[in-house]
Amino acid sequence: MGLCAYETAKVVAIRDLRLASLRIFFVVVISAYVIIFELLGSGGYLTASSTVGVVRFSLQHPTLSDCDPSDRKCRNDFAPLNELPYCQQYDSNDLYAGNVYPCEIYESINAQIVSEKSIAIITRASVTNQSQVCGADAMTCPRTYSDASEEYRFYTAQSERFTILFDHAVTASQICSGQHVMHYACSAESSQYSGRLHSKDPELCKLEYQNGKSYVSYRGKQQTDGAPCFIEPNHTATNQDFFTLDAILRASGVADIDDCNVGTNNADSNSTKDTETCQTYRDTGATLLLNIYWTDFAPYVGLVDPAYYYIPQLIAGSSFKQYVPFYKEYRSQRTLLNAHGIKIAVLLGGEFHTFNMLSFIITLTTAVGLLAVATTIVDLLMLYVLPEKERYQDAKYESTEEFERRNLVPSALNQLISRSGRRQSGEENDDDFGRAGDESNGMQDPLLEAVDTSISISNSVI
């Protein structure tokens, strides 16, 4: 159209059923996408606030009916050591895949290493009695301690049957304020709401399905016997969650604690490349991440009561060990415990939601942009695809004449009419009129000449 042309929008009604139907189709699809997926499915009208929280652990060894070990009537529930194939006390000829050591019956308080956000269950350990070599007055010390006894290695009997209690609470600071102190976003505790353990082990899902505790989702009542599944935890009298170590390992993909831990190279193990034994998870230990995710939003439902779920993830090829000293006399004599076990590190996370007008407006603005895209698609089909594209182009785009040249004639005529009006009103004196009349006989008025010139130019343009 040229650089000197001004382009402006023009509305043209194209009477074509195909184009009209196509645009209606796009509008319906985009509207359904925004309403169903963006608003209802993804909560486009809500704003999310990340949760932070704390967790408390408690370990308990096997007891009859999961009774409290602090109760005087509570009794342990360990299997005889001669029935455990990984123990030296085992009295059968069945071969064990890993290293065989003596087994010790440990209560929970001696079989755990607890920190702020992790707990380690000791599965195998070694103890060494040591004496201090250098006294306080020594100027130098080539070796701080010397071994006073041989290293004694042992397994913790049935460590996989130990149960771990998880008590956790979260808060969403962006939602919680002084006006909403009773809102669950300020303090949501696991004992007040329900949660489930995510498992990808088919056998575990099938087993828990038989117990009526395997579900399709972390909320809802639909059960399943296939993997993946969400397993309902065991509960204490105060509604706190606890799982066996075996259940957590199986949920993370480890079928058995006595399976070989492929990829580890544990220098403390007696197995070598020349032997047929492998390094089991019981022997080397492992590190496991337990993600606890909180949410109060359900797709296509909206805001609901908070719920959470556990997702265990084993770090492949990992192991765990930690030295723990026990002093008989501080610094002079000690027993050094070299502990190996399954370390469970907890990562608390999640999101709580609340209505937000700005989020809602942004979602609607996105819908308007998508509608503009639909119009562009229909225009492209109309102008470049359909058989009548040339007719549609003529109807959509139109060029006008050059209006600035046609404006010369009206301007000159207006000046002539203005002068004629002044003469009739007597504004010019008779002498001037006489001289003008004499001049007109021999010379044409310049204004009239300009009018004639403009008319001829306009005619040539037309």
Side-chain angles (χ1 to χ4, degrees):
M1 294 183 181
L3 295 176
C4 298
Y6 169 69
E7 298 181 6
T8 185
K10 179 181 180 181
V11 178
V12 180
I14 305 296
R15 298 182 178 275
D16 190 311
L17 181 60
R18 297 167 299 178
L19 297 175
S21 301
L22 186 60
R23 174 166 171 74
I24 293 174
F25 170 76
F26 281 136
V27 170
V28 171
V29 170
I30 292 173
S31 300
Y33 168 77
V34 172
I35 295 175
I36 296 177
F37 293 99
E38 291 294 329
L39 289 177
L40 299 180
S42 302
Y45 58 96
L46 302 172
T47 183
S49 177
S50 299
T51 60
V52 294
V54 294
V55 61
R56 179 181 68 89
F57 308 96
S58 179
L59 186 68
Q60 179 173 309
H61 56 267
T63 58
L64 292 173
S65 303
D66 291 324
C67 60
D68 186 353
S70 62
D71 188 350
R72 291 184 178 181
K73 297 181 180 180
C74 185
R75 294 293 180 267
N76 295 337
D77 190 25
F78 288 100
L81 299 183
N82 60 351
E83 296 179 2
L84 304 178
Y86 51 87
C87 299
Q88 277 188 353
Q89 296 93 328
Y90 187 53
D91 56 9
S92 175
N93 294 326
D94 295 339
L95 296 178
Y96 178 66
N99 295 309
V100 175
Y101 298 118
C103 287
E104 299 279 349
I105 295 178
Y106 264 49
E107 61 178 358
S108 56
I109 194 171
N110 291 328
Q112 62 181 352
I113 302 175
V114 180
S115 62
E116 182 180 0
K117 289 189 177 181
S118 68
I119 182 173
I121 299 91
I122 299 174
T123 58
R124 195 261 296 178
S126 62
V127 293
T128 305
N129 295 322
Q130 296 181 331
S131 300
Q132 187 180 18
V133 175
C134 306
D137 55 348
M139 295 295 102
T140 183
C141 190
R143 184 175 178 82
T144 310
Y145 286 90
S146 63
D147 294 341
S149 66
E150 294 292 332
E151 181 185 46
Y152 172 67
R153 298 188 180 190
F154 63 93
Y155 284 125
T156 302
Q158 293 192 293
S159 56
E160 69 276 10
R161 290 187 58 202
F162 281 56
T163 57
I164 308 105
L165 179 145
F166 300 95
D167 182 19
H168 46 96
V170 294
T171 180
S173 58
Q174 293 182 5
I175 297 178
C176 182
S177 65
Q179 298 177 352
H180 303 86
V181 292
M182 299 302 294
H183 194 271
Y184 58 78
C186 298
S187 178
E189 300 180 12
S190 58
S191 60
Q192 298 175 354
Y193 300 97
S194 61
R196 291 169 183 170
L197 174 67
H198 179 268
S199 172
K200 52 187 178 183
D201 180 44
E203 294 299 325
L204 180 61
C205 293
K206 185 176 181 180
L207 176 63
E208 295 298 337
Y209 175 76
Q210 297 173 356
N211 298 328
K213 300 172 65 175
S214 177
Y215 296 87
V216 173
S217 176
Y218 66 93
R219 65 168 80 240
K221 299 181 179 180
Q222 183 179 357
Q223 295 190 341
T224 180
D225 60 351
C229 67
F230 288 85
I231 299 172
E232 184 178 352
N234 302 307
H235 294 103
T236 65
T238 55
N239 201 36
Q240 293 173 332
D241 303 339
F242 69 91
F243 304 93
T244 63
L245 177 60
D246 178 65
I248 296 177
L249 286 174
R250 294 178 66 178
S252 68
V254 179
D256 196 309
I257 193 173
D258 293 312
D259 288 346
C260 296
N261 187 358
V262 180
T264 58
N265 185 16
N266 189 356
D268 293 335
S269 177
N270 287 336
S271 62
T272 65
K273 294 182 179 179
D274 297 332
T275 62
E276 297 181 357
T277 59
C278 71
Q279 295 178 300
T280 64
Y281 289 99
R282 187 188 301 276
D283 191 358
T284 65
T287 301
L288 185 145
L289 299 179
L290 185 64
N291 296 277
I292 306 178
Y293 190 87
W294 283 79
T295 182
D296 63 346
F297 175 77
Y300 310 108
V301 177
L303 291 176
V304 293
D305 288 338
Y308 57 91
Y309 52 92
Y310 303 89
I311 302 180
Q313 180 181 3
L314 184 76
I315 299 179
S318 64
S319 61
F320 173 79
K321 75 173 182 177
Q322 183 170 334
Y323 288 98
V324 182
F326 297 91
Y327 290 95
K328 297 179 180 179
E329 183 178 348
Y330 184 65
R331 294 210 67 192
S332 61
Q333 291 184 343
R334 72 181 184 184
T335 298
L336 186 63
L337 176 69
N338 181 7
H340 294 251
I342 307 298
K343 180 180 180 179
I344 302 175
V346 171
L347 301 177
L348 269 173
E351 290 180 334
F352 287 156
H353 303 78
T354 185
F355 177 78
N356 184 270
M357 181 59 70
L358 180 59
S359 300
F360 180 67
I361 293 175
I362 292 175
T363 302
L364 294 183
T365 303
T366 303
V368 173
L370 292 175
L371 292 176
V373 172
T375 301
T376 302
I377 294 175
V378 175
D379 283 351
L380 293 175
L381 293 175
M382 176 185 70
L383 298 174
Y384 301 106
V385 177
L386 294 182
E388 303 85 354
K389 57 185 178 182
E390 294 182 358
R391 295 176 57 190
Y392 292 148
Q393 289 177 0
D394 293 338
K396 182 174 178 63
Y397 300 109
E398 180 180 354
S399 297
T400 65
E401 68 272 13
E402 298 184 17
F403 290 101
E404 65 276 7
R405 292 189 177 182
R406 293 185 61 88
N407 288 338
L408 292 175
V409 175
S411 178
L413 289 176
N414 289 336
Q415 295 182 29
L416 180 59
I417 293 172
S418 177
R419 288 186 59 181
S420 175
R422 288 198 299 271
R423 288 178 179 176
Q424 292 177 4
S425 62
E427 293 179 2
E428 298 184 11
N429 55 40
D430 294 339
D431 293 338
D432 292 337
F433 181 79
R435 287 194 298 272
D438 293 337
E439 293 174 358
S440 64
N441 293 330
M443 182 179 178
Q444 189 176 3
D445 193 313
L447 184 57
L448 293 176
E449 184 178 357
V451 172
D452 293 338
T453 303
S454 298
I455 292 175
S456 63
I457 291 174
S458 299
N459 290 333
S460 65
V461 172
I462 295 174

